[in-house]
Amino acid sequence: MDTRRTHSTASGAVSGSVPRRAGSGGAHRRTRGGARTAAGLLATAALLVSACSSGSPSTSATAAAAAEAAVLVALPPSTPAALKPYYSQKPAWRGCGVPGFQCATVKAPLDYTKPSAGDVRLAVARKKATGPGKRLGSLLVNPGGPGGSAIGYVQSYAGIGYPAEVRARYDMVAVDPRGVAGSEPVTCLDGPGMDRYTRTDITPDDGRETTGLVAAYRTFAEGCGADSPRLLRHVSTVEAARDMDIVRAALGDEKLNYVGASYGTFLGATYAGLFPGRAGRLVLDGAMDPSLPARRLNLEQTAGFDTAFRSFAKDCVRRTDCPLGKAGTSPEQVGRNLKAFFGKLDARPVRTGDADGRRLTESLATTGVIAAMYDEGAWQQLREALTSAMKENDGSGLLVLSDSYYERDADGRYSNLMFANAAVNCLDLPTAFDTPDEVRRALPAFRKASPVFGEGLAWAALNCAYWPVHATGEPHRIEAKGAAPIVVVGTTRDPATPYRWARALAGQLSSGRLLTYEGDGHTAYGRGSSCIDRTINAYLLRGTPPQDGKRCS
């Protein structure tokens, strides 16, 4: 699933990184799982963390019971001899083309069970504390995804946009997780291949279209397997969390201080579970629930997008430029109107003026709408894009939103967000569905969760069924017994990481403190709530956690 703060991809769930704010050009938007991300419907369903058992209801019930009992086990506090060379590294910092930032490379073992089997080279960036005030160490940030570039996030947003008092006291640091961006990125398809993939019909009407969708998933998976056969087996969240501990040591910090958004909350919670004694001040914003199997994760995220869409619908009909209904039109009717528009695109895509000749298909339009659900600041842009597409047969505005979600540039190049998203999701959890027949049986539940997006998100959850590497992870609880207070932030109408996930994670963590933002959008820190920002700043700067259950608006 994609829970980024900014995007999503094809892996059976929506992504989870923090999406950039619409029109800002920054990295704080829509990462998962998810702080910053959104991408097409194929991508959308993929950026969610794929974590669900397949099979019959009894199988799912068994998996759920096992997840309830399974708890992430902490690693021994002492460093194994075979890993000591990694822990004793001294980064060679250098300029990296962005004023005020330094970059370095840190090595980690490809396989922690066989440290002698080779290395992974991790890209790290930092901006040193500006002062005044005593330096508090390093503050690592991650925008989610999985697959969002933490370095891109720190250089374009966190390192220059976090509160000045935080940047004054902390070195702002980011490490791209293994397989992501600067850290030996996974690659699956070239630009034209991704263009074809993102246009694939994600709501098949018959056997021929189902065969086409399965073929697209197979082509995507085969491309990933051909490019990175060894790395694909070692891009799990557990391994990425262990890498962060090596980076912590290389930075000279006794404890890890961290702000993770969307999927970055899963990464941060995993770190705390593995190294509770080294967990410093951790903020997990837009939290994920690691105990859920994939199908339930996808289903609950689908409901989350429906909640966000209903908020958009209510706001839209109060505006004179809403193309989906007039004042008093119910959210249900707004949804039916949008679904009817998608149906027209399914039959006849519309022009976009794109240099590569792409037309707006149902899948690209759906991705564009989903991208705007991550941040209510994008709602005006969405209304304008829908008006152009529905009334003028001009799909350029929705294509822009879709491209931003997929991180496609004007030259037709894609970042590796979607590739890494699938690689991590498909390794972390067993696939949500194994066959198209399983998806068909689940369609009523997904349509109930979201009449607008449910069908597409259900089919998107099939992608890991064709992955070339078997999952190594399972759903589990994270308790992190012995860790210092951990702040878990949930937004009540978050589309990508439903609020109940934050409540669940805060309840699992032995030292979890739930901080609630009553509002719209994906994640809460730095989104305009002075209450949220003051509370998190006090924790980061003075170590004062909020009272469990504190609410802000």
Side-chain angles (χ1 to χ4, degrees):
M1 99 174 96
D2 183 342
T3 55
R4 56 189 156 168
R5 241 183 134 144
T6 61
H7 332 265
S8 85
T9 186
S11 91
V14 177
S15 102
S17 66
V18 176
R20 301 185 183 94
R21 292 187 182 279
S24 72
H28 193 309
R29 61 175 167 137
R30 99 156 148 267
T31 98
R32 65 212 149 43
R36 86 151 175 53
T37 49
L41 212 76
L42 270 105
T44 293
L47 285 179
L48 282 179
V49 172
S50 294
C52 137
S53 66
S54 57
S56 65
S58 60
T59 302
S60 298
T62 300
E68 185 67 25
V71 176
L72 183 64
V73 177
L75 293 170
S78 59
T79 302
L83 296 180
K84 287 184 177 179
Y86 294 102
Y87 274 81
S88 61
Q89 295 176 84
K90 302 297 181 185
W93 296 102
R94 63 188 183 280
C96 47
V98 180
F101 287 88
Q102 299 173 308
C103 291
T105 299
V106 173
K107 294 180 180 180
L110 174 68
D111 184 349
Y112 276 92
T113 67
K114 299 176 182 178
S116 61
D119 299 333
V120 171
R121 297 172 64 85
L122 304 172
V124 184
R126 74 175 180 184
K127 185 177 185 184
K128 301 195 74 172
T130 58
K134 181 181 178 182
R135 179 181 174 276
L136 295 174
S138 304
L139 180 64
L140 269 71
V141 296
N142 183 282
S149 172
I151 289 178
Y153 180 66
V154 77
Q155 290 179 341
S156 64
Y157 174 69
I160 57 177
Y162 265 33
E165 57 268 39
V166 172
R167 291 182 285 115
R169 306 285 298 280
Y170 284 100
D171 291 348
M172 300 297 297
V173 178
V175 53
D176 281 342
R178 52 175 63 200
V180 174
S183 297
E184 302 195 16
V186 172
T187 301
C188 303
L189 299 175
D190 61 12
M194 274 299 289
D195 281 347
R196 290 189 294 273
Y197 182 69
T198 59
R199 293 196 300 266
T200 302
D201 189 343
I202 199 67
T203 57
D205 299 317
D206 52 34
R208 180 184 61 82
E209 291 185 350
T210 301
T211 298
L213 178 58
V214 169
Y217 285 147
R218 289 188 185 278
T219 299
F220 185 92
E222 288 167 2
C224 296
D227 179 75
S228 311
R230 292 184 67 220
L231 185 60
L232 281 191
R233 293 176 171 80
H234 298 288
V235 291
S236 69
T237 298
V238 166
E239 289 163 312
R242 296 191 70 171
D243 293 345
M244 287 204 303
D245 199 50
I246 289 176
V247 172
R248 172 202 58 78
L251 294 169
D253 293 327
E254 292 186 5
K255 292 181 180 286
L256 180 83
N257 301 310
Y258 175 84
V259 177
S262 199
Y263 162 80
T265 67
F266 181 33
L267 181 59
T270 299
Y271 180 90
L274 294 173
F275 307 103
R278 298 174 194 164
R281 299 171 187 179
L282 270 60
V283 177
L284 309 180
D285 185 10
M288 294 184 60
D289 180 356
S291 73
L292 296 179
R295 193 179 305 182
R296 184 171 168 189
L297 253 179
N298 290 332
L299 186 61
E300 292 189 4
Q301 189 182 52
T302 298
F305 276 99
D306 193 68
T307 297
F309 177 76
R310 291 177 66 85
S311 288
F312 164 74
K314 292 175 183 177
D315 179 80
C316 186
V317 298
R318 291 197 292 263
R319 313 280 180 169
T320 57
D321 62 345
C322 180
L324 296 170
K326 299 179 180 179
T329 305
S330 69
E332 292 79 11
Q333 185 59 52
V334 170
R336 287 191 289 271
N337 294 342
L338 180 60
K339 190 69 174 174
F341 169 63
F342 288 159
K344 291 180 180 178
L345 291 176
D346 190 27
R348 181 172 295 181
V350 301
R351 61 181 174 81
T352 64
D354 177 64
D356 295 313
R358 292 179 301 157
R359 296 177 73 83
L360 183 71
T361 62
E362 177 190 18
S363 58
L364 290 172
T366 305
T367 295
V369 173
I370 283 178
M373 293 300 99
Y374 281 79
D375 189 339
E376 68 274 25
W379 290 357
Q380 178 180 345
Q381 182 181 356
L382 176 59
R383 293 195 307 273
E384 294 171 353
L386 284 169
T387 297
S388 294
M390 297 174 72
K391 297 185 176 182
E392 302 167 17
N393 288 324
D394 177 4
S396 58
L398 284 172
L399 186 64
V400 166
L401 283 167
S402 178
D403 283 351
S404 73
Y405 191 84
Y406 281 117
E407 296 193 352
R408 181 192 192 272
D409 67 21
D411 295 323
R413 295 186 298 256
Y414 290 77
S415 78
N416 96 306
L417 169 68
M418 296 301 143
F419 312 140
N421 181 270
V424 175
N425 283 334
C426 294
L427 196 62
D428 272 353
L429 289 165
T431 183
F433 300 108
D434 287 328
T435 67
D437 284 343
E438 289 183 3
V439 178
R440 292 188 186 97
R441 289 194 291 270
L443 284 177
F446 276 79
R447 288 177 179 137
K448 182 178 180 180
S450 176
V452 178
F453 306 119
E455 183 177 358
L457 292 178
W459 282 106
L462 180 63
N463 74 313
C464 286
Y466 309 101
W467 202 243
V469 177
H470 291 299
T472 57
E474 292 285 351
H476 55 269
R477 293 169 54 83
I478 300 178
E479 296 179 353
K481 292 182 178 178
I486 298 172
V487 177
V488 179
V489 188
T491 298
T492 54
R493 294 185 294 279
D494 190 314
T497 51
Y499 177 63
R500 67 157 303 282
W501 292 359
R503 289 186 301 173
L505 180 60
Q508 292 171 35
L509 293 167
S510 62
S511 59
R513 303 287 183 90
L514 178 62
L515 174 61
T516 297
Y517 172 55
E518 296 176 347
D520 296 292
H522 185 38
T523 72
Y525 187 42
R527 289 178 55 88
S529 169
S530 59
C531 173
I532 289 288
D533 292 353
R534 283 196 310 269
T535 301
I536 292 176
N537 292 345
Y539 172 65
L540 292 175
L541 296 171
R542 297 188 291 278
T544 306
Q547 181 179 356
D548 188 33
K550 180 180 175 66
R551 303 183 75 88
C552 294
S553 59

